[in-house]
């Protein structure tokens, strides 16, 4: 079993989400054989982008990103200091206030779990096909 991990911690900045996407692409490219397909890679990057954006927006502006490759799955884990759990909302098609992300993450991942952290806050784990 080959497992690789990367971890990032960042404060709110204009480039934080872009940096998370770049770190994810670099992680996926470094996996080697068997390589991950472009569509699967794009899906992992999309989930990272959504979870990091939500952590920055709703979790106090700080996040941690942990990526791991397991046989058959990529694990995306994004933590933030807020104990508030994600909530599904009705997507707003009129005013542009969101509501799409949590549904999307749950639709794209095989499994999603929210774990409270001992020091406070939470980590969201999404397992995506490799």
């Amino acid at each position: 079993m080959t497992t690789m991990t990367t971890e990032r911690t960042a404060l709110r900045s204009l480039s934080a989400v872009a940096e998370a996407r770049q770190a994810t692409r670099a992680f996926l490219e470094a996996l080697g054989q068997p390589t991950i397909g472009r569509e699967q890679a794009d899906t992992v990057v999309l989930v990272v982008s959504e979870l990091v954006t939500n952590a920055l927006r709703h979790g106090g502006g700080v996040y941690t990103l942990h990526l791991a490759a397991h046989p058959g799955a990529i694990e995306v884990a994004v933590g933030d200091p807020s104990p508030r759990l994600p909530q599904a909302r009705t997507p707003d098609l009129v005013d542009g206030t969101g509501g799409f992300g949590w549904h999307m993450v749950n639709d794209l991942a095989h499994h999603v779990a929210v774990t409270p952290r001992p020091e406070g806050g939470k980590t969201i784990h999404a397992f995506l096909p490799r």
Side-chain angles (χ1 to χ4, degrees), residues 85-130:
L85 300 179
Q87 296 179 346
R89 299 187 294 146
T90 301
D92 183 351
L93 299 172
V94 178
D95 296 322
T97 60
F100 296 93
W102 189 239
H103 295 286
M104 180 184 64
V105 168
N106 281 279
D107 287 345
L108 293 173
H110 285 303
H111 178 72
V112 177
V114 181
T115 308
R117 297 190 306 188
E119 69 275 12
K122 66 185 169 301
T123 300
I124 298 173
H125 301 267
F127 294 86
L128 296 119
R130 182 170 179 175

Side-chain angles (χ1 to χ4, degrees), residues 29-120:
E29 289 170 6
L31 288 178
Q33 296 297 325
T35 59
I36 185 168
R38 182 157 181 93
E39 186 174 323
Q40 288 91 351
D42 289 346
T43 299
V44 172
V45 170
L46 180 62
V47 168
V48 165
S49 183
E50 182 59 36
L51 292 177
V52 168
T53 297
N54 284 345
L56 291 170
R57 182 177 294 151
H58 304 292
V62 178
Y63 76 93
T64 59
L65 169 63
H66 176 83
L67 301 167
H70 306 286
I74 300 293
E75 178 183 2
V76 173
V78 176
D80 68 60
S82 172
R84 190 168 170 218
L85 300 179
Q87 296 179 346
R89 299 187 294 146
T90 301
D92 183 351
L93 299 172
V94 178
D95 296 322
T97 60
F100 296 93
W102 189 239
H103 295 286
M104 180 184 64
V105 168
N106 281 279
D107 287 345
L108 293 173
H110 285 303
H111 178 72
V112 177
V114 181
T115 308
R117 297 190 306 188
E119 69 275 12

